[in-house]
Amino acid sequence: MPEHADHDPVEDLARFGADLARAGGDMPLSAADVRRRGDHLRRRRTALVAGGAVLAAVAVTAPILALTGDDPERTDRDLVTRDPRGALGPQDLLGDDDTVHSESSDWFTTDTSEGDGQAAFHLCARESLGSLGATAVFQRRFELRNTAEPSVEVSGDHLAESIAQFPDAATAAAAYDTIAGWVRDCTEQVAQTESPEYRAFEPRTVDVEVGGDSAAQIIDAQYGPAPRELDPYGDAAYLAETGIVRVGDRLAVLDSAIVGQDYTFTDGTPVERMLPVAADLLRPGGGEPFDPTAVPGSRIADDFPLAAGWPEAGGETEDPLTGPLRGLDPIPVVACGETAQDPRRSDRLSAEWVDVEDVRYRQLTTYPSADAAADAVTRVADLYRACPREQDTGDGTTRRWEVREVTAGAEGYAVLGWAESEGGATPFGETLLVVRVGSAVLVESRGGHAGNPQGREEETIAELVEQAGEVVEAMCPFSGSGC
């Protein structure tokens, strides 16, 4: 083992996060991600670049006061009385189903609170949101869990969201600018921690697609070195991603920070993917349809047969099935650098089946109406139709997409995706099946060599439709009148 006694960790900080200022750039590899690297098939299109020792990440902000007390039966709905005019409330915070991370891990809520609490909402905050003029504040904290191996404890990774209502858009805009300034210049606050060196990168704007009077940005930062008890070699720093979004007179701040080194998110960084959802939730009254109880008949039964038609066992994997359950990452729908933004949904259930060279994902999503579900399907089909060929990645490889209609449900499409290298076929590909029945939409992704449709397009589509037959039939109650 090399000797690190004379190693100066501060000098090495400049090499961390060199590409953080661009979307999809290098991002930190936390302790949890290092432990899960071997399970790389668990998240499609997520490429990791390993580095460093196994590190324990720590939360960098103090706990906030939860209002739920010691009663485990109370829910977020107990925190506020819903206002038919759309008053700000916990329903406007990100939920477990809205958060994303990487690999085989997901964020799960640990506590939700009303008000500023007794601690700063962000490490760099110099005042409370109330001091900036907010008339209502709600906060939520999350913990990371290993969904592939639930028995493996994950600790330290930090995600929190704070949302605030202001008396007018001008006050909210001023708070937006003030908070961004704090995050860009956080030297004084970080100097009070064990990791005194701070460096923020140029903010990057994000199109959150809510229109109107809105703005959003992400500020990537690093500070360190990490404490010696976390990294005895001094090779790591804290790497943070802060998302700030304003929609009219409302504001949301997403605070993510971990200890680690670099990996690459090919579908966008976690905060970049969550920020549009956070923006959508800020729209007055916008959070209501996310509650399946608010739209009768839109909740998916816990025993819904989402994994029906899949093999009962894996070829080389002992336990290939995860789910069905809520809270897994949604299937990324990305082509030519664009993402199909999902309309406001009511409920979602997911399942994963991962074996060597055979990776399958399914998600069933319900919407407040059949029209909203049809809109969701159209957005997916249109995204891939507009991207028959992606740009060369620089190594001679391009990705191709083709959309075909299929006979399934009220409407259905198959999306055929494959990679070409210097114009020739490769063994890599992916096939998506999208089926709508009433207000419900099924999306299935088949990846690995088994999902490559080249030369067997009709066979691949027929196989997916047949295997999903029982699932589609079980969606009939969402059509209103039945199938």
Side-chain angles (χ1 to χ4, degrees):
M1 181 177 295
E3 178 60 41
H4 291 267
D6 298 325
H7 182 72
D8 184 355
V10 176
E11 291 182 0
D12 283 345
L13 282 177
R15 69 183 178 85
F16 288 121
D19 294 324
L20 285 177
R22 63 179 179 83
D26 290 344
M27 289 293 290
L29 181 62
S30 71
D33 290 301
V34 173
R35 289 194 295 271
R36 293 187 297 272
R37 288 187 64 247
D39 196 21
H40 62 282
L41 290 177
R42 281 286 176 180
R43 283 285 175 268
R44 68 192 182 96
R45 289 188 281 184
T46 301
L48 290 176
V49 179
V54 176
L55 304 174
V58 299
V60 296
T61 59
I64 55 181
L65 291 177
L67 297 183
T68 53
D70 298 324
D71 184 358
E73 299 301 320
R74 296 191 67 188
T75 67
D76 291 343
R77 297 186 190 90
D78 298 313
L79 296 179
V80 296
T81 300
R82 290 174 184 253
D83 188 327
R85 296 169 301 173
L88 189 76
Q91 74 274 3
D92 301 307
L93 289 160
L94 292 171
D96 293 355
D97 204 33
D98 306 311
T99 57
V100 295
H101 191 257
S102 65
E103 279 287 278
S104 54
S105 57
D106 286 284
W107 296 105
F108 292 84
T109 300
T110 57
D111 57 64
T112 303
S113 66
E114 182 177 6
D116 282 304
Q118 296 180 336
F121 66 91
H122 190 284
L123 173 67
C124 301
R126 303 176 191 178
E127 299 177 45
S128 67
L129 289 166
S131 298
L132 294 178
T135 57
V137 175
F138 290 87
Q139 304 190 49
R140 178 166 289 162
R141 292 171 61 87
F142 302 86
E143 69 177 7
L144 194 66
R145 299 177 191 171
N146 189 325
T147 55
E149 300 180 50
S151 61
V152 176
E153 183 178 354
V154 180
S155 61
D157 297 79
H158 168 78
L159 174 66
E161 183 189 18
S162 301
I163 59 175
Q165 173 77 59
F166 292 85
D168 51 57
T171 307
Y176 176 94
D177 293 337
T178 297
I179 295 169
W182 289 345
V183 179
R184 290 195 301 269
D185 182 10
C186 192
T187 303
E188 182 178 345
Q189 287 71 32
V190 172
Q192 301 174 26
T193 71
E194 296 181 3
S195 307
E197 300 296 324
Y198 185 83
R199 176 187 179 192
F201 296 84
E202 283 297 314
R204 44 191 170 100
T205 58
V206 178
D207 182 5
V208 291
E209 299 188 3
V210 295
D213 182 16
S214 63
Q217 64 179 298
I218 292 175
I219 303 173
D220 301 293
Q222 63 184 44
Y223 52 99
R228 287 288 181 177
E229 59 267 23
L230 298 180
D231 175 29
Y233 304 117
D235 291 328
Y238 290 97
L239 296 104
E241 189 180 9
T242 300
I244 312 171
V245 57
R246 181 183 66 84
V247 178
D249 56 6
R250 290 179 170 184
L251 186 73
V253 179
L254 273 63
D255 173 21
S256 173
I258 64 175
V259 171
Q261 296 194 13
D262 299 337
Y263 54 42
T264 299
F265 289 102
T266 59
D267 294 326
T269 65
V271 170
E272 182 182 6
R273 293 168 62 188
M274 290 186 281
L275 206 57
V277 181
D280 189 38
L281 284 164
L282 287 179
R283 296 190 296 182
E288 294 296 326
F290 274 86
D291 179 1
T293 64
V295 182
S298 64
R299 178 172 174 79
I300 304 170
D302 293 337
D303 60 352
F304 186 91
L306 189 58
W310 281 352
E312 295 183 358
E316 299 184 32
T317 303
E318 182 177 352
D319 185 16
L321 180 64
T322 299
L325 54 83
R326 291 172 176 79
L328 294 178
D329 286 352
I331 295 174
V333 180
V334 183
C336 290
E338 299 294 328
T339 300
Q341 295 296 327
D342 197 22
R344 187 172 299 285
R345 65 187 179 278
S346 293
D347 201 7
R348 183 166 62 208
L349 193 69
S350 304
E352 303 176 352
W353 195 95
V354 180
D355 197 9
V356 176
E357 305 304 346
D358 188 355
V359 183
R360 312 172 190 219
Y361 299 94
R362 275 182 187 160
Q363 68 183 32
L364 179 67
T365 308
T366 61
Y367 299 86
S369 67
D371 288 343
D375 182 28
V377 172
T378 299
R379 293 188 191 195
V380 174
D382 288 350
L383 174 76
Y384 289 106
R385 285 195 181 107
C387 181
R389 180 191 293 271
E390 300 204 22
Q391 291 185 350
D392 192 317
T393 60
D395 60 359
T397 301
T398 59
R399 183 178 288 273
R400 301 287 302 277
W401 299 104
E402 180 184 344
V403 179
R404 299 186 183 183
E405 292 189 18
V406 299
T407 303
E411 60 179 321
Y413 297 93
V415 180
L416 306 174
W418 66 94
E420 294 180 347
S421 180
E422 298 180 350
T426 73
F428 304 105
E430 174 184 21
T431 303
L432 277 78
L433 176 67
V434 184
V435 178
R436 181 182 69 85
V437 175
S439 61
V441 175
L442 171 70
V443 177
E444 176 165 356
S445 167
R446 183 84 178 269
H449 293 323
N452 185 2
Q454 292 182 89
R456 53 189 299 271
E457 291 85 355
E458 292 299 328
E459 178 185 350
T460 300
I461 294 172
E463 182 178 293
L464 276 173
V465 171
E466 180 182 3
Q467 290 179 350
E470 184 177 342
V471 179
V472 174
E473 183 177 353
M475 293 165 62
C476 287
F478 298 109
S479 67
S481 59
C483 295

